[in-house]
Amino acid sequence: RFYPPPPEANEPLLKRTRARVTHAVVVIFLEFFAWGLLTTPMLKVLHETFPQHTFLMNGLVHGVKGFLSFLSAPLIGALSDTWGRKSFLLITVFFTCAPIPFMRISPWWYFALIAVSGTFAVTFSVIFAYVADVTEEHERSTAYGLVSATFAASLVTSPAIGAYLSSRYGDSLVVLVATVIAVTDIAFVFFLVPESLPDKMRLSSLGFPISWEQADPFASLRRVGKDSTVLLICVTVFLSYLPEAGQYSSFFLYLKQVIHFSPEAIAAYIAMVGILSIVAQTVLLSVLMRTIGKKNTVLLGLGFQLLQLGWYAFGSEPWMMWAAGTIAALSSITFPAVSALVSHNAAADQQGVVQGMITGIRGLCNGLGPALYGFIFFLFNVELKVKGHRFLSPQRAVIPGPPFLFGACSVVLAVVVAIFIPENLRPAGGPAATKPAHAQNGGAALATPTSDAEDIEPLLQDSSIGSGLTEPGVPFWLTRFL
C-alpha cells in the first residue's frame, strides 16, 4: 500500500519551485553590468583623485579590498549556512554596489568604500551556495554554467555600452545609469528573490555559535604542508595567481595611460578577451585534457601565462597588447585544469580540504597581488602626468611594464614547481566527502553533506568564474577589476 509522505518531506521540493537558478542569474547580471558600465569613468576618476602615485594608490585600494574579502569570506559562508542565503545575498549585493553613486558625489569616499566593501564583496560565494540549494547534483554543473555565462555576457557588453554613453553624454549619466541598475538589483533581491535554504536547515535563534574553525580564513592554509603533493599544487597556484591578482588591479589603467588605449579600445579589448576565453574554456580545454592530460594542460596554461606577461612587460605598442590579449585568453585554462587534476586524482574524502586550501591561497593573493604591483610601479617611477585635460604617458623605458616582468618570473618558478606534481596523485574513490569543509572553502558555503563532485564546484567557479571544467568563463584578472 502507498502511504503519502508527511508534509515536511515535501518542503525541499516546495522550496525549489519557488527559488530558482533564474534568480541567481538576474542578481549576477545586474550587479556586474552596473560595475562594467563604470570601466571608463573609473579610470578617469582614479587619476583625478590620486594625481601622484596613481598606480601605487590603485594597488593599495584593491589590495585592501582583496585582503578583507579573504578574511570575511569563510565567516559569511558559515553564517549563510546557518541563517539563510537571502539575507547575506542582500548584504553582499548592497555593499558591493554601495560605492557606485559616490564616484560623482565624492571620489575619496568612493575609493574608501571600495576598499572597505571587500568585507562583504563575496556575492559569487553566496550565489553558488544558492544555486546548490535549488538544484540536484546532476543539474549543478549546468546551472553554474548558466550563471557564469550570464556573468561573462555582462562583462563583454557593459564596458562598451559605458564607453559609448560616456563619450556621448558624459560620465555623470553613466554613473546615474549604473546606480539605477544597482538599486534595481538590491530591490530585486529584497522583494523577489526567495530564500533557498530549507527552514529545517536554518536556525531561528541568532545565538547559534559559529566555531572559530569555520570563520578562520587561515585554517585551510595551515594544512598545506601536511602532504607533499598538495604542497606542490598550492605553491604552483600561489606563484601563478599572485601576478594574475596584481594584473587585474592595474592593467586597464596601464592600457589607457601608458599604451594610449581609447575607452572604446579598452571596451573592445575586454570583449575580445572575454569571448576568446569562453571558447578556450569550452572547446580547447576539453580537447587538451583528453589528448595531452591534465598535468600537461596545466603546464601549457602556465606557458601561455608566461608568454602573455612577458609580452605585457616589453610591449609598448597597441598591437602588441591585442596580441598578448589573445594569449591571455588561452592562459585562462590553467586554473580549471588545476582543479581537474586535483578532483580527478585526490581521494573523495579529501576533495573539500584540498580545494579549500587552494581557494584560501588564491584569496590571500587577491590582497597581496594588487599592492605588490602598485609598489613595483612606484619603485620604477611609472607615473602619469597631466597637461591640461590630456594624459601624458611616462617616458619610454626598456621595460615599460616592470610588474608584468616580475609576474613572468613568478610564473617561471610556478612551471618549475608544477613539473614535479605527479600525474596521478592518489587512487580516486573512497567515501563521499561529507565533512562541512565548505564554510572554509573561500566562502563558497554549501551546508548539506555533499559528494566529491559538489565539493569541486566552488573552486572552479571562484578560480575562473567559470562553471566547471568545460563551462564558459573569463580570466579572473579581467573580472576582478570590476
Side-chain angles (χ1 to χ4, degrees):
R1 177 182 296 182
F2 172 78
Y3 292 96
E8 58 270 17
N10 293 324
E11 182 181 8
L13 179 61
L14 294 175
K15 288 291 181 182
R16 292 178 186 179
T17 58
R18 295 199 298 267
R20 300 178 183 275
V21 176
T22 308
H23 295 107
V25 167
V26 173
V27 171
I28 285 296
F29 180 84
L30 292 176
E31 177 178 317
F32 286 93
F33 191 88
W35 275 106
L37 290 173
L38 299 178
T39 303
T40 298
M42 183 187 297
L43 298 176
K44 186 183 301 183
V45 171
L46 178 64
H47 179 76
E48 292 175 350
T49 308
F50 305 112
Q52 299 295 325
H53 311 310
T54 307
F55 284 100
L56 176 62
M57 295 305 299
N58 178 63
L60 291 177
V61 168
H62 285 87
V64 171
K65 178 181 179 180
F67 191 69
L68 288 177
S69 296
F70 164 71
L71 294 178
S72 64
L75 176 61
I76 291 178
L79 291 176
S80 74
D81 285 341
T82 305
W83 294 332
R85 314 293 186 202
K86 177 173 179 174
S87 56
F88 286 93
L89 191 59
L90 183 63
I91 290 172
T92 57
V93 171
F94 175 81
F95 280 96
T96 302
C97 296
I100 291 178
F102 285 89
M103 177 178 284
R104 303 306 297 176
I105 297 174
S106 172
W108 281 95
W109 275 103
Y110 169 72
F111 288 107
L113 287 174
I114 285 181
V116 176
S117 71
T119 307
F120 299 99
V122 289
T123 305
F124 261 107
S125 297
V126 184
I127 282 291
F128 291 140
Y130 189 96
V131 171
D133 292 340
V134 301
T135 56
E136 299 291 348
E137 184 176 338
H138 67 278
E139 304 170 330
R140 201 152 296 146
S141 180
T142 302
Y144 283 144
L146 180 60
V147 172
S148 57
T150 302
F151 165 75
S154 69
L155 182 67
V156 167
T157 58
S158 56
I161 296 174
Y164 172 78
L165 293 176
S166 177
S167 62
R168 288 292 301 271
Y169 305 104
D171 292 344
S172 296
L173 178 65
V174 180
V175 175
L176 177 61
V177 172
T179 301
V180 171
I181 294 175
V183 172
T184 302
D185 195 17
I186 296 170
F188 178 79
V189 175
F190 185 82
F191 292 106
L192 298 178
V193 173
E195 177 58 57
S196 64
L197 199 63
D199 290 337
K200 63 182 180 181
M201 297 179 62
R202 288 183 282 139
L203 292 178
S204 58
S205 171
L206 298 181
F208 181 76
I210 298 295
S211 68
W212 170 245
E213 185 179 3
Q214 289 177 288
D216 182 8
F218 297 96
S220 61
L221 302 182
R222 287 194 288 267
R223 302 189 185 96
V224 169
K226 295 183 179 181
D227 185 295
S228 59
T229 301
V230 172
L231 177 61
L232 290 174
I233 294 175
C234 290
V235 171
T236 301
V237 171
F238 179 82
L239 291 173
S240 60
Y241 187 71
L242 184 67
E244 186 170 352
Q247 181 178 323
Y248 80 75
S249 67
S250 58
F251 186 65
F252 296 126
L253 179 65
Y254 182 79
L255 285 180
K256 179 176 175 60
Q257 314 302 357
V258 178
I259 309 298
H260 297 299
F261 266 45
S262 66
E264 293 76 16
I266 291 176
Y269 183 93
I270 295 174
M272 182 200 73
V273 176
I275 293 172
L276 291 179
S277 298
I278 292 174
V279 175
Q281 292 192 40
T282 53
V283 179
L284 180 63
L285 181 61
S286 59
V287 172
L288 289 175
M289 289 200 295
R290 285 197 306 267
T291 55
I292 66 176
K294 297 175 179 62
K295 177 182 173 180
N296 290 331
T297 302
V298 172
L299 291 173
L300 182 61
L302 291 174
F304 285 135
Q305 186 182 8
L306 176 61
L307 179 60
Q308 160 217 336
L309 288 169
W311 213 328
Y312 285 155
F314 292 99
S316 57
E317 300 296 331
W319 72 266
M320 297 180 180
M321 298 297 105
W322 286 99
T326 304
I327 306 300
L330 296 176
S331 71
S332 67
I333 66 175
T334 303
F335 290 105
V338 169
S339 301
L341 184 65
V342 173
S343 62
H344 181 75
N345 296 285
D349 60 351
Q350 293 296 312
Q351 292 281 346
V353 175
V354 176
Q355 304 286 15
M357 294 178 192
I358 297 174
T359 304
I361 287 176
R362 293 182 57 262
L364 186 61
C365 290
N366 285 334
L368 297 177
L372 182 61
Y373 263 52
F375 184 65
I376 295 175
F377 273 122
F378 172 73
L379 286 181
F380 283 83
N381 296 315
V382 180
E383 269 305 327
L384 308 177
K385 297 179 181 180
V386 178
K387 185 176 182 180
H389 296 286
R390 194 164 55 91
F391 290 106
L392 301 177
S393 65
Q395 295 181 348
R396 293 293 184 186
V398 177
I399 306 176
F404 305 116
L405 180 60
F406 163 82
C409 295
S410 180
V411 174
V412 169
L413 296 177
V415 171
V416 173
V417 174
I419 291 174
F420 294 96
I421 299 175
E423 181 70 33
N424 294 310
L425 308 187
R426 57 175 63 87
T434 58
K435 59 188 66 178
H438 308 284
Q440 306 161 22
N441 193 7
L446 307 180
T448 57
T450 60
S451 67
D452 58 333
E454 185 173 335
D455 281 328
I456 299 167
E457 296 297 347
L459 174 67
L460 298 177
Q461 305 316 310
D462 196 35
S463 62
S464 65
I465 310 303
S467 61
L469 301 182
T470 59
E471 295 293 350
V474 290
F476 193 71
W477 63 266
L478 205 62
T479 68
R480 292 290 294 177
F481 177 79
L482 302 178

